[in-house]
């Protein structure tokens, strides 16, 4: 079933100059890019996005990191998009990520892990409109 997911190339990925390489890997894996733009989040914006992690000890640091520079936000489409993007991303901690995954190849820490991807259809359905209006998504 064709499915949509939401993804962010985080500030570390953009800063490292890996945006193009990450986008190429996403396209080579069969994802169609339906929406794409750069955004620099404020910490308030990041707090809303990551509200489920509010009680985590790393929340403050994560907010600082996510607002430390521009990100690339995307809407991606593919069969089984949510699971397939998470496979391509690899484990949250790059030290535990499998070979051939984006986090293995580009991430430097559990926080600076270059990419975010929605973890369920419900999450995708709330994350996509957090950044994109329907007019900004090409179908
Ligand atoms: P993401 O998949 O975007 O979801 C939450 C983010 O919090 C995660 O990627 C990491 O960037 C960050 N994160 C998760 N666990 C930790 C941790 N133990 N310490 C610091 N940051 C973390």
């Amino acid at each position: 079933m064709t499915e949509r997911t939401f993804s962010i190339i985080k500030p570390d990925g953009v800063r490292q100059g890996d945006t193009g390489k990450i986008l190429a890997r996403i396209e080579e894996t069969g994802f169609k890019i339906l929406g794409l733009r750069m955004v620099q989040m404020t910490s308030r914006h990041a707090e809303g996005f990551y509200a489920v992690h509010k009680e985590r000890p790393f929340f403050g640091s994560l907010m600082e990191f996510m607002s430390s520079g521009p990100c690339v936000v995307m809407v991606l489409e593919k069969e089984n998009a949510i699971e397939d993007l998470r496979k391509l991303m690899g484990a949250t901690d790059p030290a535990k990520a499998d070979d051939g995954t984006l986090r293995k190849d580009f991430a430097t820490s559990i926080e600076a892990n270059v990419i975010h991807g929605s973890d369920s259809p419900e999450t995708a359905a709330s994350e996509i409109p957090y950044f994109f209006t329907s007019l900004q998504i090409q179908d």
Side-chain angles (χ1 to χ4, degrees):
M1 193 189 68
T2 300
E3 187 173 60
R4 288 181 182 183
T5 191
F6 172 76
S7 182
I8 304 177
I9 301 175
K10 298 185 182 183
D12 56 331
V14 174
R15 220 163 8 241
Q16 287 163 197
D18 290 328
T19 302
K21 286 169 250 174
I22 293 170
L23 287 174
R25 295 267 291 269
I26 288 171
E27 289 195 311
E28 283 158 10
T29 308
F31 288 91
K32 188 173 168 194
I33 299 173
L34 302 186
L36 178 83
R37 69 190 170 86
M38 283 191 107
V39 59
Q40 169 129 23
M41 281 189 248
T42 61
S43 39
R44 178 178 278 234
H45 209 144
E47 276 166 29
F49 182 72
Y50 278 122
V52 291
H53 296 300
K54 214 162 49 197
E55 305 306 327
R56 303 283 192 98
F58 57 80
F59 188 70
S61 172
L62 179 63
M63 295 307 96
E64 208 171 297
F65 165 61
M66 289 303 294
S67 56
S68 67
C71 292
V72 173
V73 291
M74 295 169 271
V75 180
L76 302 172
E77 188 174 78
K78 185 186 179 299
E79 280 203 9
N80 211 25
I82 293 169
E83 200 185 316
D84 285 2
L85 182 66
R86 290 181 69 86
K87 263 191 224 153
L88 177 64
M89 286 162 42
T92 304
D93 181 354
K96 296 182 183 148
D98 289 338
D99 285 349
T101 64
L102 295 172
R103 285 171 170 162
K104 174 79 175 191
D105 294 343
F106 300 108
T108 54
S109 75
I110 194 165
E111 178 176 80
N113 63 0
V114 299
I115 187 160
H116 166 85
S118 305
D119 63 6
S120 69
E122 295 71 30
T123 313
S126 70
E127 291 181 344
I128 291 170
Y130 195 75
F131 286 96
F132 289 90
T133 66
S134 57
L135 279 175
Q136 295 168 323
I137 300 170
Q138 312 306 313
D139 354 51

